[in-house]
């Protein structure tokens, strides 16, 4: 597992100048897709459902962080290709339509988005292999990754 600081640094290197709000929205997708790949959580810090989409606890981000491993970096880059050109409003709309966000908002104890909810959401058939969607499918991404490794 990598730190959220490492993930943020990777996002900043590849897409400099994003607002904190947009970065946090992208963290939702990065965590969800990484969990869907079955490797556990990308980062340990909790995501919380808010009116603005998602937020994290205020975390000090150290200047020097370890870069994410190749699997984490592949997921981060895939998320950036798939979602980074969307506006914050569009990202919020997608997040608010998701079951994990809705469950967290309805929770009486905490607005924390549980990793199990993200895993279930990001592994549903509509998300991973929709043939009518122009984005790369999970199968294509895995094949590209295997081609680079070989």
């Amino acid at each position: 597992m990598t730190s959220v600081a490492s993930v943020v640094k990777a996002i900043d290197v590849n897409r400099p100048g994003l607002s904190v709000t947009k970065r946090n929205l992208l963290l939702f997708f990065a965590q969800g897709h990484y969990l869907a790949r079955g490797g556990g959580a990308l980062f340990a810090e909790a995501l919380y459902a808010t009116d603005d989409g998602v937020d994290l606890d205020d975390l000090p981000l150290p200047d020097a962080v370890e870069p994410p491993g190749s699997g984490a970096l592949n997921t981060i880059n895939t998320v950036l290709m798939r979602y980074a050109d969307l506006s914050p409003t569009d990202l919020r709309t997608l997040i608010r339509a998701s079951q994990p966000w809705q469950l967290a908002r309805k929770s009486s104890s905490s607005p924390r988005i549980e990793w199990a909810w993200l895993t279930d959401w990001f592994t549903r058939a509509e998300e991973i292999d929709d043939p009518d969607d122009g984005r790369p499918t999970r199968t294509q991404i895995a094949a590209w990754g295997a081609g680079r490794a070989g």
Side-chain angles (χ1 to χ4, degrees), residues 90-141:
D90 290 339
L91 292 170
R92 270 192 292 277
T93 299
L94 290 172
I95 289 170
R96 288 177 181 162
S98 75
Q99 187 177 31
W101 185 87
Q102 292 174 12
L103 290 169
R105 290 297 286 182
K106 291 176 185 174
S107 173
S108 60
S109 60
S110 168
R112 179 184 172 129
I113 298 170
E114 299 295 333
W115 297 156
W117 300 341
L118 283 172
T119 302
D120 290 347
W121 183 255
F122 282 93
T123 56
R124 69 193 202 292
E126 297 89 350
E127 182 62 36
I128 58 174
D129 285 315
D130 182 352
D132 296 325
D133 189 345
R135 298 172 297 185
T137 66
R138 184 182 204 193
T139 305
Q140 291 169 323
I141 291 168

Side-chain angles (χ1 to χ4, degrees), residues 21-104:
T21 298
K22 186 166 183 178
R23 182 204 67 210
N24 288 350
L25 295 168
L26 291 170
L27 288 171
F28 172 89
F29 292 102
Q31 185 72 287
H33 283 287
Y34 196 79
L35 285 162
R37 289 184 161 186
L42 178 60
F43 51 85
E45 293 80 4
L47 293 169
Y48 298 93
T50 67
D51 290 339
D52 290 329
V54 296
D55 202 2
L56 289 92
D57 291 326
D58 290 331
L59 303 170
L61 300 178
D63 293 329
V65 295
E66 291 290 322
S70 62
L73 195 54
N74 286 342
T75 299
I76 295 164
N77 288 332
T78 299
V79 165
L80 291 175
M81 287 186 331
R82 187 170 177 177
Y83 300 101
D85 289 333
L86 296 174
S87 71
T89 300
D90 290 339
L91 292 170
R92 270 192 292 277
T93 299
L94 290 172
I95 289 170
R96 288 177 181 162
S98 75
Q99 187 177 31
W101 185 87
Q102 292 174 12
L103 290 169

